[in-house]
Each structure stands twice: as structure tokens, then as C-alpha cells.
């Protein structure tokens, strides 16, 4: 596999154009979904207002100032929120540092799940730390991949692409409900771009095919058209 030293080719830049054009909207949607889980809906309204005003640093400052309010059981949620606002503020390195901590916390909580689920069963659900829903866990790697790619660290971005594929492949195998979150066309499209950018055309083809199939299968309710680049 050959590495890409100078960045994507013209064709891949076209694919990036579509992907990046949807990134800001995706972050707003993600923050809106996370708002229901957070300790303060008002905080998310302030964040959204700042983002719509293109005050990305202001939005990040709101999240940073509220770190203690998230509490010890919402470290993953704080990491996702902060990682997204740092990315939009252009601090890609710090964004990845925070997202890495969130991902480590997800892995740590996974190993404790049986014990904490037993505790919650004996007491109440609030005893369970928040480890994120599957789509949020995938989003962590998506954001990290975008940060690495933006900084020109293509091999690191490729590592995140493989992590995305692994998460989605495991999720697809484990999830039996037809309408449940079991794949992600947006994330698959990103991995395809990253594979193609680094010369791995075989995995790029597989990723693009899965992206097309997933986007086509969900377009009725997502109202998201399949990119013409696919």
C-alpha cells in the first residue's frame, strides 16, 4: 500500500467536497441528539446558537466551562461534545486528544458493563455510567479520522478508518433489528475516501459499496440522497 504524501488526488478532492459540505450539519445534528442526554438543555441551546453564528471558539468555551457539570458518569459525553467543538474551532490536535480520552473511557466502561449492569438492576439505571450509543461511538472515530486527514496525517486517519469498519462490522453482525442502527453510510463513505487516498483501492471499493447500500436503504427516512460520486 502506498502512502499519500501530498494529499488527495483531484478525484478524491471532489469526494471530500461533498463530505466536508455535510460535516457542519452533521455536527449540529449530533449535538442535538446528545442534548437529550446532557445535564443541561440550556447549555446545548447556547452551543447551537454559537455554532449557527459561526462562533466556534465560543461554543467550545461553553463546553469547556461546563466540564464539571457533566459529572463523573458522563465523561464520554463530555469528550464527544468537546471533541466536536474543538474540531470546528480548528484545534484538531486537541480535539483528537479529548476524543482519544473519550474512546478510552468507552473501552473501560465496556469491560465493567456486567458488574455495573448488575448494580443498576439492584438499584436504578442512574448507577450506569454513560458509555454512548453505538452511533456515538462510531462518531468518535469519524471525528478523529477527519482531524488526522485535515492535518495531513493520512496513515493515522487510516487507522481510524479501520476502527470504524471494525465497529460497524461487529455492529452489523450483532444487531438483528431491521430498523436499528447497524451501519452508517456517512462513516463508510469516509473510510472509502481514506482508503482511496492511501492507494488501497480494494478496501475503498468495498467501503463505497457499503456506503451506497446503506444510504440507499435509509434514504426514505433520512431524506439524504446518495452522493453522485458513488
Amino acid at each position: 500500500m502506498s502512502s499519500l504524501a501530498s494529499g488527495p488526488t483531484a478525484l478524491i478532492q471532489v469526494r471530500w467536497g461533498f463530505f466536508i459540505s455535510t460535516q457542519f450539519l452533521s455536527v449540529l445534528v449530533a449535538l442535538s441528539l446528545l442534548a437529550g442526554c446532557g445535564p443541561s438543555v440550556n447549555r446545548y441551546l447556547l452551543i447551537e446558537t454559537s455554532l449557527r453564528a459561526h462562533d466556534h471558539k465560543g461554543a467550545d468555551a461553553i463546553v469547556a466551562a461546563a466540564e464539571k457539570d457533566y459529572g463523573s458518569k458522563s465523561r464520554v459525553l463530555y469528550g464527544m461534545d468537546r471533541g466536536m467543538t474543538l474540531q470546528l474551532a480548528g484545534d484538531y490536535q486537541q480535539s483528537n486528544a479529548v476524543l482519544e480520552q473519550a474512546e478510552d473511557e468507552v473501552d473501560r466502561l465496556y469491560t465493567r458493563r456486567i458488574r455495573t449492569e448488575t448494580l443498576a438492576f439492584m438499584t436504578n439505571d442512574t448507577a450506569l455510567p454513560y458509555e454512548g450509543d453505538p452511533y456515538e461511538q462510531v462518531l468518535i472515530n469519524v471525528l478523529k479520522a477527519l482531524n488526522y486527514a485535515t492535518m495531513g496525517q493520512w496513515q493515522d486517519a487510516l487507522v481510524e478508518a479501520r476502527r470504524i469498519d471494525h465497529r460497524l462490522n461487529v455492529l452489523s453482525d450483532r444487531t438483528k433489528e431491521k430498523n436499528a442502527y447497524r451501519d452508517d453510510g456517512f462513516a463508510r463513505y469516509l473510510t472509502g475516501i481514506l482508503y482511496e487516498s492511501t492507494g488501497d483501492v480494494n478496501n475503498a471499493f468495498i467501503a463505497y459499496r457499503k456506503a451506497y447500500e446503506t444510504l440507499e436503504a435509509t434514504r426514505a427516512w433520512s431524506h439524504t440522497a446518495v452522493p453522485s460520486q458513488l
Side-chain angles (χ1 to χ4, degrees):
M1 180 187 303
S2 62
S3 62
L4 191 69
S6 59
T9 63
L11 174 60
I12 300 173
Q13 287 175 347
V14 172
R15 300 191 195 279
W16 269 117
F18 169 83
F19 195 89
I20 298 302
S21 69
T22 62
Q23 181 186 357
F24 177 71
L25 177 60
S26 298
V27 169
L28 280 180
V29 171
L31 284 169
S32 297
L33 291 171
L34 293 175
C37 309
S40 173
V41 174
N42 288 335
R43 178 172 66 250
Y44 283 97
L45 292 176
L46 291 173
I47 295 170
E48 182 177 352
T49 299
S50 295
L51 292 178
R52 291 188 181 278
H54 302 288
D55 182 12
H56 302 149
K57 291 185 178 180
D60 179 60
I62 294 171
V63 179
E67 180 177 1
K68 291 183 179 179
D69 295 337
Y70 282 81
S72 60
K73 290 185 172 66
S74 296
R75 297 304 303 166
V76 173
L77 180 60
Y78 170 76
M80 288 187 291
D81 287 352
R82 188 82 200 280
M84 284 187 281
T85 54
L86 280 166
Q87 182 188 83
L88 291 174
D91 194 344
Y92 306 113
Q93 186 170 350
Q94 184 60 25
S95 173
N96 267 358
V98 173
L99 290 167
E100 187 73 31
Q101 292 176 356
E103 187 174 16
D104 288 344
E105 183 70 0
V106 168
D107 294 338
R108 186 182 70 84
L109 291 175
Y110 179 79
T111 63
R112 294 178 51 199
R113 181 179 296 175
I114 295 179
R115 180 164 60 88
T116 53
E117 282 182 349
T118 301
L119 174 62
F121 178 77
M122 295 172 61
T123 55
N124 57 71
D125 288 343
T126 60
L128 288 171
Y130 183 71
E131 62 180 284
D133 289 325
Y135 74 89
E136 294 167 337
Q137 295 173 7
V138 171
L139 180 61
I140 290 175
N141 296 112
V142 166
L143 293 171
K144 289 172 65 181
L146 286 169
N147 285 335
Y148 282 127
T150 303
M151 292 187 291
Q153 299 176 19
W154 296 99
Q155 292 303 319
D156 291 322
L158 194 60
V159 170
E160 298 304 323
R162 295 191 182 109
R163 289 175 177 172
I164 291 168
D165 278 347
H166 175 71
R167 285 190 186 278
L168 291 176
N169 290 341
V170 171
L171 191 63
S172 295
D173 291 339
R174 289 180 177 176
T175 305
K176 305 304 179 184
E177 296 86 351
K178 182 178 179 181
N179 295 323
Y181 178 82
R182 58 198 314 272
D183 212 328
D184 193 313
F186 185 77
R188 294 288 194 185
Y189 186 42
L190 172 61
T191 63
I193 295 173
L194 294 174
Y195 287 134
E196 186 177 2
S197 298
T198 52
D200 189 350
V201 293
N202 290 330
N203 278 325
F205 174 80
I206 294 171
Y208 287 143
R209 184 187 65 195
K210 289 183 177 181
Y212 179 87
E213 292 173 349
T214 303
L215 290 169
E216 184 66 28
T218 59
R219 67 185 304 175
W221 60 264
S222 67
H223 304 291
T224 301
V226 177
S228 59
Q229 293 83 357
L230 288 175

